[in-house]
Amino acid sequence: MTTVNDLLSLLVLEKISNTEFNGVSKTIGSPIVFGGQVLAQAINAASRTITNHRVLHSMHSYFLEAGNLELPITYNVSIVRDGGSFSVRRVTAHQKERTIFILSASFHKKEAGYDHQIVMKPGLKQPENLLGWTDILQQFGDYLPKSLKAFFEIERPVEFKPTEIVNPLDKKDLPPFSDVWFKLKGDAKNLDLATKQQILTYISDYNILSSVLYPHASKAHWGNTQTASLDHSMWYFRDFDFDDWLLYSMESPSASNARGFARGNIFTREGKLIASVAQEGLMRPIIK
């Protein structure tokens, strides 16, 4: 996948019935299905059962088993409730007889109300002055660990630019914070809000667990730590566009019991808060 059109062809599911949909998978460099793909495809399935123009405002999900890249994924949607203001959907994802994922999503009719938000960090480096993953591969590819180089070599429909580049060879513990600018490749204009939310959901599963590893970077890295997303929640606050860079600002308040917790906020360049994310992941040291 190299552009937003490639991503949309992955996220928009084949309709089997009014409440059943099929999807395929594309690797992002991992031998299993990317969690962000399943999240976004499940949101696509749920959204297509909404016929009253309500807008997705939150979702909560659990990853139950690793997905097989070679098998299609079937998404079954349960219409839990259509109330006066909110509609709730439950989505179950299957591969053959295995349930690999469950999600609940809530949609809200448009209403006026109070408005406030936290502010974006001041003084962050702007994306024009930063190296992206593509630049890092071109400039430092020969010096990167083999697994990390292979990950960067996968073509993606999104460009990521971290505000600080962490040297994986520098064994030093770091603060549990990470800020990454991101932008879609290709023409992302004239997308409806539901589609933009699905794309944002896909991207939200990138980078977030890095902040959990940073405080343990003197001894822990992706090569000696078993990681997996366990759950993922997201709240959608305001409309936005993909025509400029967006900022994903992440932090990890805690890690314990072979699990790490991270949360993040997604802002426009102007500082409008458009979504918040929370995820707990498996962070199990590999004992050799």
Side-chain angles (χ1 to χ4, degrees):
M1 294 190 298
T2 59
T3 69
V4 61
N5 288 333
D6 298 328
L7 180 56
L8 288 175
S9 70
L10 177 71
L11 301 186
V12 178
L13 303 174
E14 175 192 7
K15 182 177 179 179
I16 305 302
S17 72
N18 288 338
T19 57
E20 185 175 31
F21 305 84
N22 272 354
V24 297
S25 300
K26 297 286 186 181
T27 183
I28 65 158
S30 168
I32 60 175
V33 176
F34 175 48
Q37 175 201 302
V38 182
L39 288 163
Q41 287 180 333
I43 293 297
N44 179 262
S47 297
R48 288 165 66 179
T49 69
I50 299 295
T51 58
N52 50 16
H53 306 292
R54 291 177 179 178
V55 176
L56 176 67
H57 75 90
S58 71
M59 68 87 167
H60 307 274
S61 64
Y62 284 93
F63 299 95
L64 306 180
E65 291 198 42
N68 186 327
L69 285 165
E70 304 302 319
L71 297 176
I73 304 175
T74 300
Y75 296 87
N76 294 107
V77 183
S78 298
I79 299 176
V80 178
R81 181 175 185 266
D82 282 314
S85 300
F86 293 89
S87 295
V88 178
R89 300 293 185 263
R90 186 175 189 271
V91 184
T92 307
H94 306 271
Q95 284 189 313
K96 291 188 174 180
E97 301 303 318
R98 296 186 307 125
T99 301
I100 65 169
F101 174 83
I102 55 175
L103 173 144
S104 294
S106 182
F107 300 77
H108 184 201
K109 73 176 184 180
K110 291 185 178 181
E111 292 190 67
Y114 301 110
D115 195 311
H116 80 273
Q117 65 159 82
I118 60 172
V119 298
M120 187 168 66
K121 292 180 183 177
L124 287 172
K125 297 175 185 177
Q126 294 300 295
E128 289 80 7
N129 302 318
L130 296 169
L131 294 178
W133 285 7
T134 304
D135 304 313
I136 294 170
L137 176 64
Q138 291 174 348
Q139 296 189 29
F140 307 110
D142 293 340
Y143 306 99
L144 295 173
K146 185 180 297 185
S147 60
L148 186 58
K149 181 181 179 182
F151 180 77
F152 280 149
E153 287 176 334
I154 298 293
E155 292 187 329
R156 306 172 201 282
V158 189
E159 182 64 64
F160 296 100
K161 290 191 174 185
T163 60
E164 301 291 338
I165 297 176
V166 175
N167 183 352
L169 303 179
D170 187 7
K171 306 297 183 182
K172 181 175 66 176
D173 291 340
L174 301 167
F177 303 101
S178 177
D179 296 283
V180 180
W181 293 98
F182 64 91
K183 193 174 190 295
L184 285 175
K185 299 175 183 177
D187 185 3
K189 296 179 181 177
N190 301 318
L191 298 175
D192 61 60
L193 178 56
T195 300
K196 289 184 288 188
Q197 289 177 327
Q198 291 158 38
I199 295 172
L200 194 69
T201 302
Y202 175 88
I203 297 170
S204 72
D205 197 34
Y206 271 105
N207 297 295
I208 188 165
L209 288 184
S210 296
S211 60
V212 182
L213 271 183
Y214 284 169
H216 314 282
S218 62
K219 53 185 179 295
H221 54 79
W222 299 112
N224 67 5
T225 308
Q226 182 184 358
T227 62
S229 302
L230 298 175
D231 56 29
H232 194 99
S233 294
M234 197 161 178
W235 297 263
Y236 309 82
F237 304 129
R238 297 170 178 88
D239 198 356
F240 65 99
D241 289 309
F242 277 115
D243 55 0
D244 196 5
W245 292 89
L246 300 173
L247 179 75
Y248 199 178
S249 185
M250 295 156 280
E251 64 178 2
S252 175
S254 177
S256 63
N257 302 299
R259 301 188 311 274
F261 174 69
R263 61 193 179 196
N265 294 305
I266 303 176
F267 297 89
T268 66
R269 195 201 287 250
E270 294 74 30
K272 180 170 67 172
L273 178 64
I274 59 176
S276 290
V277 183
Q279 183 179 106
E280 191 171 42
L282 177 69
M283 307 293 290
R284 179 183 292 149
I286 299 172
I287 307 299
K288 295 184 178 180

